[in-house]
Amino acid sequence: MYHKILDFFAGKRIAILGFGMEGKSTYRFIRRYMKDISLTVIDQKNMQLENEALFSLDHSLSFVYGEHYLENLEKYDVIMKSPGISFKDIDISKIRNKIYSQIELLLMFYRDNMIGITGTKGKSTTSTLIYQVLCESGKDTRLVGNIGIPVFDEIEEYTDHTILVVEMSSHQLEYVDFSPHIGIILNLFEDHLDHAGSVEHYYASKMHMFDYQREEDISIYSRDNKNLCEYIKNGNYRSHMYPVQLEYDSNCVSLKGNEVRFQDTVLYVDDHQRHLLGTHNLENIMVVMLVAKLLNLDLEKAKKTVDSFRGLEHRLEFVGVFGDVTYYNDAIATIPEATMNGIRALKKVDTLIFGGMDRGIDYSQFITYLLHADISNLICMPTTGYKIGQLLMEEGCTKNIVFVDTLEEAVATAKKVTAKGGICLLSPAASSYEYFKNFQEKGNCYKKLVQD
């Protein structure tokens, strides 16, 4: 299959825009087979200096960097854009049909073997579960995309029978013109406005998962998410639509008692064996079991795989019990809906540590929730935590509201104020980028501080 991608590149002027993980993967893939084709690496930083060993013997390579690195892109035939590069506030009308990515090329040439998963929250957990269920069923399966493994890194290993489970972010879906054979959208919540520019653009990017599907394709989505349902209603999609919802409805995948039912089939019994907490994770499990059914997998074996899955790091992760207080790390919760889901799942949260970078998200519903939630201590970190904490005080909130400057202060305070037998939860409800490289760094820092 990768030969088709090489044929696509042949004879074209190629720019690699953004030289992070995916940009480097694209460079290595092209150079494995096309030693002399002209390439241009474009990045705000001078990547020539940072990658001297990689570039030392490459004589067909040029560089563009600096403040104006996004100018003059129209002179290239193919622009391999890394997901993190934003074109917000930039006129791309002259280059729109030249923008590609690893995901786009995979969809162009391998879409029939792809299961694509997106959503504001839950996509990593759901993608990993689908991957594990397929692997345990003996299928040749790869887990790639936004979960951390660039598509081109293992592309030579894909065969005509390989199933690709691809987690796709809004950044990766933003400019695609193809959709996978099986597309899954878990939910739509306000997020990533710093990149997308508007919630409408962000949602529209996510919906590309379904936009280009054909009549024989499969679309799976949550009917419990109002934002998503609004797009489905107005989308005029051609594929087979499979809604999933918690409230029982015989016409879709839904919950009757503790049984997940699809038509006349019991897909899954929620018998308290699963390690994934919360109704939001139950809905993710419902999606996974529907995929297993549609692919004619053994449902009993799939249930065992699902129930034994202990979750991914930084996602309602049990850290330990210290000083009779149980600590959980939910650093991945970068929007208020995710934080609320985590609190509901744990049920006994006594202390919440929250706050992060302000991206213009509406927190009004979150503030109302915190006002009435059975939580004793709210530890507010900059920047959003400060704003929310102040608004809660203005609303007459009687909880113990504490403002701290650092995560170190937050954990030290939590150790003092959390009731014995209670839970302390780190769940930022905001991005971590203001003071940390990413949510992983924040979560790891929290876990170290808790255990010190």
Side-chain angles (χ1 to χ4, degrees), residues 298-315:
D298 185 323
L299 295 182
E300 287 189 18
K301 184 181 288 188
K303 175 177 165 51
K304 289 180 181 178
T305 302
V306 166
D307 286 345
S308 64
F309 182 65
R310 292 187 174 273
L312 300 173
E313 191 178 16
H314 310 296
R315 294 157 174 86

Side-chain angles (χ1 to χ4, degrees), residues 351-418:
T351 297
L352 175 68
I353 301 173
F354 68 100
M357 189 174 80
D358 189 350
R359 294 175 295 168
I361 292 174
D362 180 8
Y363 283 98
S364 56
Q365 184 182 358
F366 185 55
I367 291 168
T368 301
Y369 177 81
L370 291 180
L371 271 171
H372 302 287
D374 187 19
I375 301 172
S376 300
N377 308 293
L378 300 174
I379 301 179
C380 310
M381 296 182 61
T383 297
T384 58
Y386 282 16
K387 292 182 177 180
I388 293 167
Q390 187 61 46
L391 288 168
L392 284 168
M393 292 176 69
E394 292 173 8
E395 291 287 335
C397 181
T398 58
K399 302 181 193 302
N400 179 32
I401 300 175
V402 183
F403 296 89
V404 298
D405 293 325
T406 65
L407 189 55
E408 288 81 1
E409 284 184 69
V411 172
T413 302
K415 289 180 177 181
K416 293 176 184 176
V417 302
T418 307

Side-chain angles (χ1 to χ4, degrees), residues 243-261:
V244 172
Q245 67 180 46
L246 292 169
E247 184 178 345
Y248 181 66
D249 182 339
S250 60
N251 295 315
C252 68
V253 180
S254 59
L255 195 62
K256 186 175 184 180
N258 68 340
E259 294 180 342
V260 176
R261 289 180 167 269

Side-chain angles (χ1 to χ4, degrees), residues 32-33 126 144 150 152 158 192 268 289 301 311 373 387 424 428 434:
R32 282 201 293 273
Y33 303 100
T126 306
V144 295
F152 286 178
Y158 306 160
H192 295 299
Y268 178 84
M289 296 304 296
K301 184 181 288 188
K387 292 182 177 180
C424 173
E434 203 165 28

Side-chain angles (χ1 to χ4, degrees), residues 171-227:
H171 302 357
Q172 291 169 314
L173 285 163
E174 190 173 14
Y175 296 106
V176 300
D177 294 311
F178 299 87
S179 299
H181 171 52
I182 299 178
I184 299 167
I185 305 179
L186 299 170
N187 46 58
L188 294 178
F189 296 113
E190 196 175 8
D191 200 3
H192 295 299
L193 303 189
D194 51 329
H195 180 103
S198 70
V199 69
E200 291 79 15
H201 183 77
Y202 169 66
Y203 288 170
S205 297
K206 289 284 193 184
M207 296 310 299
H208 286 167
M209 182 68 76
F210 295 167
D211 283 341
Y212 307 104
Q213 285 189 309
R214 305 164 185 168
E215 291 181 1
E216 66 271 20
D217 292 331
I218 293 169
S219 302
I220 301 171
Y221 71 97
S222 169
R223 193 183 274 173
D224 290 330
N225 184 265
K226 293 180 181 179
N227 297 325

Side-chain angles (χ1 to χ4, degrees), residues 432-450:
S432 302
Y433 294 132
E434 203 165 28
Y435 294 96
F436 295 91
K437 181 180 177 182
N438 47 41
F439 72 85
Q440 293 97 327
E441 184 179 71
K442 189 171 191 174
N444 287 331
C445 180
Y446 172 74
K447 290 191 287 184
K448 183 177 184 301
L449 291 166
V450 163

